Amino acid sequence: MATYNKNRSKVACTVCRARKTRCDGAKPKCSFCLENGCVCKYETPPGPTVETNIETILTKISAIEKCLGIGVQSPPSIIVPESTREKDRSGLPSLTIKDDQFAAIIFHTDFNLSTHARSLELQRAMAYGNSGSVAIFRHSPHELVQLFFRHSYNWFPILNKREIFEKLPLMQNTVRTGSSDSILLLMVLAIGGLNANDSIGIFQAEEFHSQALTMLGFVLEEVSLQSVQCLILLSMFYGLKIMPTKAQEYVSIGCIKMQNLIEIRPVNKSVDKSGDVIYDLEEYETRAFWSLFILESEYAGTLHFANTGLSSYANNIKFPSLREEPYHWPGSPESDSSSIDEPDPHFLSEIGVRKIIDRTCYTVNNSESYTANRTSFAPIVAKELQSQLDEWYHCLPDSIKFDKSKVPVTNTRHSTRALIRAQYFATVMLMYWPCMMDIIVTGECQSQEHREAFKIAIDSYIQLMLSATSVRLPEVPTTWPHAISVFAMTATIIRMTQRTTLAYDKPEELESSIQHAFAFLESIQSSPSIRYFTVMLRDLYNSRTTPN
């Protein structure tokens, strides 16, 4: 049997597109058409988009990995326990609280920060319960659903708006039948209550959430799209409550169910000529898959938990279209529903940057130059990775494209805008993490490349903090891992600037950014681990004048 190039082209020929198989993009004829005598034609794409450029970016990063001697295979799942890997290598530590070396080098402590955070959060989770207070005024179900779609839906657009609104009358019944339908609606209302960000909304959120938990057995028994959607909503709810251990547990359950849903429906999968399995999921199944992919990636960077295997499907699942029919909400003026119906490109952009971050971490931590017993910073690798990130940036739609050189506007329509900008600069910092670690360990900027990278890292940190600390917490369903990133990046910058005599040329801006980080972390009082880490960070900051 003939074998064909497994690398998928940015644009498939008409034959391969009709067969829904991978196309190597060779011209004038691709491998399949040449072998089978087909007429090979390529349609001109409508223009660069996030979806069509993700694979091009990843292909180029794979080429970089090959040059570094890593190999062209896909990186392992991002949730392989860090503790297991760290015991087997003495090279570059990871910029994560899961890494024992990170804690030892930055904070001079010998305990695992992630494990300690889980312990603190579990104590809070065990004590979690309703206040028992009574609310006189209540938000209407219609209002709560609108709040959900306006504030939470953009992060993970897993539901059909029309279907949710048409099912809303079910909530008027005094006796609700137990089903995944009921749980779905209850969790939408619960999240809408948290989005309201007032005492009444929070009270209603707890009521709806408690009712949903009484029916949880229906979700656990089913293998269906609705059961997966319910688990994602439960994770979002606990994410907004800043209860990471509970949020992560529902993500893991959802990942297992999603894989079962994929595998039990053979009609939706086929094998192409190269032997790859192609999964043709429906639109909302595709959205659920990528939502779980993003959520698992978020918590995997901060908490230890078992590998669910979901990420192994990522190269065989299409990207969502996010196309929806505009829907006017009954009882609402057109002006009220227009912002809800506008498609938000954030979700696709987040998928793209998440893949780049995962590849960047894998490339940085597995490059031969990074793991050898010599200077770990490889400027050419950082610059190549930067070029791929910039390509992703240029693919962003105008509605969410940001100015990299200016202070962001904080009163944007939604926190997704601030977070996508923060993701960009956080990724830049990850690319220069080996240089920062060199400076922290040696106390020197060994070369001109190190001095340039020193400035790039701090410039990126300042821009990162301006965006990361401007998000509205009642809108962010992954507040805890977001706050942990602020903590880890700030700790790294503080320690790096302590260890070198090289001065940053804008010290006032750096100091202001560090204070922004403290203010942001101190605003998250409900999380015991964030409170604990904020104290650690303050101690590190106050020791900046103490000789090492």
Side-chain angles (χ1 to χ4, degrees):
M1 179 183 294
T3 59
Y4 308 105
N5 192 338
K6 291 187 179 183
N7 291 329
R8 183 182 292 177
S9 170
K10 177 179 175 181
V11 179
C13 72
T14 54
V15 174
C16 292
R17 188 181 297 277
R19 294 175 65 246
K20 296 184 178 179
T21 57
R22 296 191 178 192
C23 179
D24 62 12
K27 295 182 180 180
K29 284 192 173 186
C30 72
S31 299
F32 177 82
C33 291
L34 184 64
E35 179 74 20
N36 293 276
C38 302
V39 178
C40 191
K41 294 182 179 180
Y42 292 91
E43 296 178 351
T44 303
T49 64
V50 174
E51 181 176 353
T52 59
N53 281 278
I54 287 174
E55 290 173 2
T56 301
I57 294 170
L58 296 179
T59 299
K60 291 183 178 181
I61 295 179
S62 294
I64 297 171
E65 293 171 355
K66 185 176 181 180
C67 292
L68 293 170
I70 299 172
V72 295
Q73 73 277 11
S74 297
S77 170
I78 55 173
I79 54 175
V80 173
E82 290 286 346
S83 57
T84 302
R85 294 209 302 268
E86 297 306 324
K87 291 176 183 177
D88 298 329
R89 65 175 177 85
S90 58
L92 181 73
S94 300
L95 207 171
T96 169
I97 64 170
K98 292 167 62 176
D99 193 325
D100 292 336
Q101 292 186 68
F102 175 82
I105 293 171
I106 302 298
F107 291 101
H108 299 165
T109 184
D110 59 357
F111 66 89
N112 187 279
L113 299 179
S114 177
T115 302
H116 190 63
R118 178 178 284 276
S119 174
L120 292 171
E121 295 296 338
L122 282 174
Q123 293 176 27
R124 178 193 172 206
M126 292 176 65
Y128 175 67
N130 297 334
S131 63
S133 59
V134 178
I136 299 175
F137 168 77
R138 289 174 178 265
H139 296 287
S140 69
H142 178 277
E143 183 182 356
L144 293 177
V145 173
Q146 278 202 323
L147 285 167
F148 168 82
F149 280 116
R150 184 167 286 116
H151 297 287
S152 291
Y153 182 78
N154 288 354
W155 300 101
F156 304 110
I158 59 173
L159 303 175
N160 183 297
K161 298 172 185 176
R162 180 182 294 275
E163 288 182 4
I164 292 298
F165 197 87
E166 289 175 349
K167 290 176 181 178
L168 195 56
L170 292 175
M171 306 313 298
Q172 311 301 326
N173 300 332
T174 54
V175 179
R176 302 185 183 99
T177 58
S179 66
S180 55
D181 254 349
S182 296
I183 298 176
L184 200 68
L185 290 171
L186 286 166
M187 289 312 303
V188 167
L189 295 172
I191 294 172
L194 295 180
N195 293 150
N197 198 29
D198 58 35
S199 58
I200 302 303
I202 293 172
F203 172 81
Q204 289 180 271
E206 297 295 352
E207 278 195 326
F208 289 126
H209 167 251
S210 295
Q211 292 176 48
L213 288 186
T214 64
M215 308 176 194
L216 188 57
F218 293 96
V219 168
L220 299 179
E221 291 172 2
E222 285 184 15
V223 179
S224 66
L225 172 61
Q226 281 188 323
S227 65
V228 173
Q229 290 170 331
C230 289
L231 292 165
I232 293 172
L233 292 175
L234 281 162
S235 176
M236 290 173 64
F237 176 85
Y238 285 117
L240 288 165
K241 294 285 291 182
I242 317 179
M243 302 179 72
T245 55
K246 283 182 172 287
Q248 174 265 305
E249 286 167 1
Y250 283 112
V251 169
S252 292
I253 298 171
C255 288
I256 298 298
K257 279 197 175 290
M258 187 74 233
Q259 292 172 76
N260 288 338
L261 182 63
I262 291 171
E263 294 294 346
I264 66 175
R265 295 166 59 185
V267 69
N268 285 337
K269 66 180 179 181
S270 59
V271 179
D272 65 11
K273 287 285 186 177
S274 61
D276 287 337
V277 176
I278 306 300
Y279 299 96
D280 186 20
L281 303 181
E282 296 176 0
E283 172 66 14
Y284 286 95
E285 292 172 337
T286 304
R287 296 187 191 188
F289 174 87
W290 288 111
S291 295
L292 288 166
F293 177 87
I294 294 170
L295 284 165
E296 187 176 46
S297 177
E298 278 287 319
Y299 288 104
T302 50
L303 292 173
H304 294 286
F305 57 93
N307 183 354
T308 68
L310 183 83
S311 61
S312 65
Y313 290 83
N315 292 329
N316 305 93
I317 303 293
K318 64 184 178 181
F319 300 112
S321 68
L322 300 184
R323 298 185 184 93
E324 292 188 15
E325 179 185 355
Y327 181 58
H328 174 58
W329 295 49
S332 296
E334 286 289 342
S335 59
D336 270 1
S337 58
S338 60
S339 63
I340 297 175
D341 287 327
E342 289 177 13
D344 193 316
H346 169 81
F347 188 54
L348 269 177
S349 303
E350 178 67 17
I351 294 170
V353 77
R354 184 64 52 185
K355 281 178 163 260
I356 293 172
I357 289 172
D358 294 346
R359 284 281 187 167
T360 298
C361 292
Y362 180 69
T363 301
V364 166
N365 289 309
N366 289 275
S367 168
E368 290 178 356
S369 63
Y370 291 153
T371 55
N373 292 322
R374 60 181 183 272
T375 299
S376 61
F377 179 48
I380 189 172
V381 178
K383 289 178 180 178
E384 287 293 341
L385 290 171
Q386 175 77 61
S387 71
Q388 309 316 314
L389 180 64
D390 287 337
E391 186 167 343
W392 165 83
Y393 168 79
H394 290 305
C395 294
L396 291 177
D398 291 340
S399 59
I400 61 172
K401 187 168 285 187
F402 50 86
D403 191 326
K404 295 183 289 184
S405 61
K406 296 182 179 179
V407 176
V409 178
T410 56
N411 59 344
T412 52
R413 189 186 77 166
H414 195 272
S415 290
T416 51
R417 304 298 187 267
L419 190 63
I420 205 69
R421 189 177 190 275
Q423 291 276 44
Y424 175 90
F425 290 106
T427 307
V428 174
M429 288 191 69
L430 287 172
M431 292 170 182
Y432 289 92
W433 164 245
C435 175
M436 292 189 282
M437 185 51 58
D438 275 353
I439 296 171
I440 291 170
V441 171
T442 66
E444 301 175 357
C445 286
Q446 303 171 15
S447 64
Q448 180 61 30
E449 287 85 0
H450 279 74
R451 288 187 285 274
E452 291 174 358
F454 174 83
K455 185 178 186 309
I456 291 172
I458 299 181
D459 285 344
S460 298
Y461 171 77
I462 290 172
Q463 293 297 327
L464 168 63
M465 288 303 112
L466 287 171
S467 298
T469 60
S470 67
V471 298
R472 293 185 283 273
L473 294 181
E475 282 184 346
V476 184
T478 52
T479 295
W480 192 82
H482 179 67
I484 292 296
S485 295
V486 170
F487 161 76
M489 297 290 190
T490 302
T492 299
I493 291 295
I494 291 174
R495 179 62 77 187
M496 181 178 71
T497 53
Q498 285 178 351
R499 288 284 292 149
T500 180
T501 57
L502 187 65
Y504 181 62
D505 58 354
K506 293 175 281 189
E508 297 84 4
E509 290 187 22
L510 175 58
E511 179 63 23
S512 175
S513 298
I514 293 173
Q515 294 308 319
H516 271 97
F518 277 120
F520 177 76
L521 294 172
E522 288 166 354
S523 71
I524 307 175
Q525 291 297 306
S526 60
S527 169
S529 60
I530 297 299
R531 291 198 304 269
Y532 182 86
F533 289 154
T534 304
V535 173
M536 286 187 69
L537 192 64
R538 182 68 71 180
D539 289 343
L540 177 64
Y541 174 79
N542 291 336
S543 69
R544 65 193 186 281
T545 57
T546 303
N548 287 292

